[in-house]
Amino acid sequence: ADAVSKSKRPYDTAARLGGEEFALLLPGASEVRAKAITQRILNTFRTTPFYSQDGTEFFVTFSAGIASIKGEAAYNMEKILNVADKALYEAKNTGRNKIIATQVLGDEEFKKSMVHSDEKHFLFFGKHI
């Protein structure tokens, strides 16, 4: 919990979901920025020694799942957590000690509204390619 709290930005929110699961809310962070913040925490865990009650040194790692929202898409917290949880289990099932980011939520709507390159060509040159 201390490593997560120290690695987050001042306006991010960290919460313990239970057991050994934590969540970070990273307002305004793109998928790339969220990965960078999470990677910084992962690197801290990789290099920070922990000690058992008998004084034995050990190191810990973690896996992370990232769910991002793009634009003004409305998603409830349960859906966002489910998407991040699926990414987390993908990270665990494909080798652990890594970060998996999901497809950006809201991206489907964003892509639907985009002008595609063949449409741009038609708009500028008056013919399809």
Side-chain angles (χ1 to χ4, degrees):
D2 288 339
V4 171
S5 292
K6 290 176 183 174
S7 297
K8 70 179 188 62
R9 302 170 301 179
Y11 47 88
D12 294 336
T13 301
R16 186 178 198 149
L17 298 178
E20 57 188 39
E21 289 191 353
F22 294 85
L24 274 174
L25 299 176
L26 307 169
S30 66
E31 179 183 341
V32 171
R33 184 72 181 131
K35 281 182 182 177
I37 292 167
T38 308
Q39 187 65 51
R40 184 172 62 231
I41 297 167
L42 180 59
N43 291 341
T44 297
F45 270 82
R46 286 180 177 154
T47 59
T48 301
F50 291 84
Y51 299 92
S52 66
Q53 288 181 343
D54 68 1
T56 304
E57 181 181 86
F58 65 95
F59 293 85
V60 297
T61 61
F62 73 86
S63 300
I66 296 175
S68 301
I69 299 172
K70 187 172 195 167
E72 297 180 16
Y75 290 93
N76 66 34
M77 189 56 67
E78 185 177 338
K79 180 172 182 172
I80 296 166
L81 285 173
N82 284 337
V83 171
D85 201 44
K86 285 180 184 176
L88 168 62
Y89 279 96
E90 183 181 341
K92 287 181 176 183
N93 293 331
T94 58
R96 299 184 176 265
N97 195 29
K98 62 180 169 180
I99 302 162
I100 298 286
T102 63
Q103 178 180 357
V104 177
L105 298 173
D107 203 31
E108 305 84 27
E109 293 84 3
F110 177 75
K111 286 180 180 176
K112 286 179 188 174
S113 69
M114 287 178 55
V115 176
H116 299 285
S117 65
D118 60 336
E119 293 167 331
K120 286 180 189 175
H121 193 273
F122 177 77
L123 289 171
F124 288 107
F125 301 107
K127 59 182 177 177
H128 280 288
I129 53 172

